[in-house]
Amino acid sequence: MRNDRIDKAMIYLLKPSRISLLVLFALMAGAFAGIAHADAPDRGVTAVGDPPPAPSTPQAAPVPEFSISPSGASPSASATPTRPADPPPPHPTPEQRLAGLTLEQRVGQLFMVAAKADGSDSSAVADLLNNHVGNIYLAGRSQAGVAATASVVETLRAAISPASSGGLPLSVATDQEGGSVQVLRGPGFQAIPAALDQGNSSPEQLRADARNWGSELLRAGVNVDLAPVLDTVPSPEFAPSNKPIGAFKREYGFTPSAVSEHGNAMAAGLRDAGVAPVVKHFPGMGRVSLNTDVSANVHDAETTRTDPYLMPFKAAIDGGLRWVMISNAYYDKIDPDHVAPFSSVIMRTMLRTDAGFTGIIVSDDLCNAVQMSPWSMGDRATNFIGAGGTMVLCADTASVPAMYTQVLQRAQGDPEFRKSVDAAALTVLQVKAGQ
């Protein structure tokens, strides 16, 4: 009977309870001495907390604390759990990306250069991209369709070296407003009505249409649309005299509310498709008579800093829009001494402070526009960035090196201008990161 009790104790203790072998030996010794009792099955666990035995009795060692292992696992395997894998490194923030860029790379992010939509100047544009220019827009006219356009864009993307761009993505834009201002046509691209005709649709239908138009752009490799126009032309009667906007039916209506409702429906549809809209031409070109592309000394003598015609732009900004294009005109009641792209009042005060805009302020064309002819190419770029602009848009690839060089040299020698360059570059990185 005594041996039977010993056997029962040993069978119980040899089950996978993970008790120290020293405890097992101590209990076996106690069993032989008549101390242990087979009718106390928990005794093997609680004995460690009992009063110490007499000196003649072997003392059990403390029980080590092992984690409970799965059935069949050895105690030694349970005692050394597998170290969890390190989490993947987080994506760098725009601030961290900026810190990793050279000054040359930072300056390059502040330029958007024309590339012919048919790809005929791809070699010249690729040279600029490999000299740090970080953004392009497809210009001219193409009837080649989505697939051919995508091939042109892919060729340009593939030409960029990591050393040039710092690994940053390329923004690819175009002018796909509709009507007479539609750069990309052909297979896969719908014919887009002029903005004035778009205004005849309900905002809901226009947004759905714009989503389709944006999806076509995205399939072609274009992720920024230099549209919609949010300029308000005062009346149908004045429209033919308004050479840049009304004469081409680029306006969405003749009141700020109509322009805002339909123009921002177009912008929302593009965003739904994953394409960034660029509203233009702040603070508005609907009241001028001459076109800054082909005329000099173009003035708006009516628009004020608190003008109701600013409402469509403010609505777009409040809705989360991240790109605004600046007009090239003078605004006599706002800043009569500076064209808009050189005006800190228009860009820093009206856009940044009054409207709360934190995104990219892109210029209208600073290279071929006749309005800009009094200034050298380099001064056009440095004046724009110094006044608070973010991205220089240039329609002439041959003019870019002079502009880029002057911006770089001034940033190297002028600490205040360097701050403007760094702030503009950070804004570009934030928008490219989806912020």
Side-chain angles (χ1 to χ4, degrees):
M1 179 64 73
R2 177 179 173 185
N3 289 338
D4 183 61
R5 287 199 298 268
I6 293 171
D7 290 343
K8 288 181 180 179
M10 291 182 65
I11 290 170
Y12 174 77
L13 293 169
L14 288 174
K15 291 181 180 180
S17 61
R18 310 303 180 252
I19 301 299
S20 167
L21 289 177
L22 291 176
V23 176
L24 177 62
F25 293 151
L27 290 173
M28 289 174 64
F32 281 107
I35 297 173
H37 296 281
D39 59 350
D42 291 333
R43 190 67 175 173
V45 177
T46 60
V48 175
D50 286 349
S56 59
T57 304
Q59 174 67 48
V63 180
E65 295 182 359
F66 294 112
S67 61
I68 298 175
S69 63
S71 178
S74 69
S76 60
S78 300
T80 54
T82 303
R83 182 175 178 270
D86 291 333
H91 292 295
T93 65
E95 290 78 9
Q96 290 169 333
R97 294 295 296 267
L98 181 69
L101 296 181
T102 65
L103 180 57
E104 290 80 4
Q105 292 168 334
R106 296 180 190 200
V107 171
Q109 290 298 311
L110 310 188
F111 285 85
M112 176 174 276
V113 180
K116 291 183 179 178
D118 61 6
S120 59
D121 65 348
S122 290
S123 178
V125 175
D127 287 343
L128 293 175
L129 294 174
N130 271 317
N131 281 283
H132 310 300
V133 169
N135 314 278
I136 62 171
Y137 75 101
L138 302 181
R141 294 291 185 269
S142 171
Q143 296 285 342
V146 168
T149 304
S151 179
V152 170
V153 173
E154 182 55 35
T155 297
L156 292 172
R157 289 189 197 276
I160 304 171
S161 70
S164 171
S165 66
L168 292 168
L170 180 69
S171 288
V172 181
T174 196
D175 278 294
Q176 203 81 336
E177 296 176 19
S180 61
V181 186
Q182 181 176 344
V183 171
L184 303 176
R185 299 175 184 266
F189 289 116
Q190 300 176 59
I192 303 174
L196 191 60
D197 296 322
Q198 292 175 36
N200 293 325
S201 298
S202 69
E204 295 77 17
Q205 182 60 53
L206 179 53
R207 180 171 181 168
D209 290 341
R211 179 173 183 170
N212 292 331
W213 302 331
S215 297
E216 295 168 359
L217 290 176
L218 208 60
R219 288 195 293 272
V222 177
N223 54 17
V224 178
D225 190 2
L226 302 175
V229 169
L230 294 188
D231 306 329
T232 301
V233 177
S235 68
E237 294 73 27
F238 179 68
S241 301
N242 177 232
K243 296 296 192 293
I245 309 299
F248 297 101
K249 299 183 177 181
R250 298 171 73 192
E251 73 277 21
Y252 281 91
F254 301 103
T255 65
S257 59
V259 170
S260 183
E261 185 176 39
H262 287 85
N264 281 305
M266 167 69 155
L270 291 171
R271 291 173 68 186
D272 291 343
V275 172
V278 182
V279 298
K280 58 189 183 183
H281 309 78
F282 190 86
M285 290 283 287
R287 287 168 166 152
V288 302
S289 295
L290 301 177
N291 188 340
T292 57
D293 289 342
V294 295
S295 299
N297 204 32
V298 178
H299 286 250
D300 175 320
E302 297 183 53
T303 302
T304 67
R305 179 175 162 184
T306 58
D307 203 284
Y309 279 26
L310 299 175
M311 187 265 281
F313 296 100
K314 184 63 166 64
I317 292 166
D318 290 346
L321 178 116
R322 304 301 288 147
W323 296 69
V324 172
M325 179 180 285
I326 295 294
S327 156
N328 277 340
Y330 283 97
Y331 292 84
D332 296 345
K333 291 187 176 180
I334 297 173
D335 187 356
D337 297 328
H338 301 94
V339 287
F342 300 166
S343 173
S344 62
V345 174
I346 289 174
M347 292 189 288
R348 287 200 170 106
T349 303
M350 292 179 65
L351 264 178
R352 298 296 192 206
T353 302
D354 294 351
F357 182 60
T358 60
I360 292 173
I361 301 174
V362 61
S363 74
D364 202 344
D365 174 35
L366 295 186
C367 291
N368 288 345
V370 174
Q371 174 86 339
M372 307 308 297
S373 56
W375 296 274
S376 71
M377 289 295 173
D379 285 348
R380 298 178 199 186
T382 53
N383 288 352
F384 174 68
I385 294 170
T390 309
M391 188 179 292
V392 174
L393 186 145
C394 178
D396 177 30
T397 55
S399 299
V400 174
M403 301 176 101
Y404 175 93
T405 298
Q406 186 160 320
V407 172
L408 178 63
Q409 290 177 345
R410 185 168 170 190
Q412 290 169 333
D414 182 342
E416 287 303 312
F417 185 75
R418 171 63 186 267
K419 290 179 182 178
S420 295
V421 167
D422 288 344
L426 179 58
T427 298
V428 174
L429 298 189
Q430 289 169 336
V431 172
K432 287 188 175 184
Q435 298 182 5

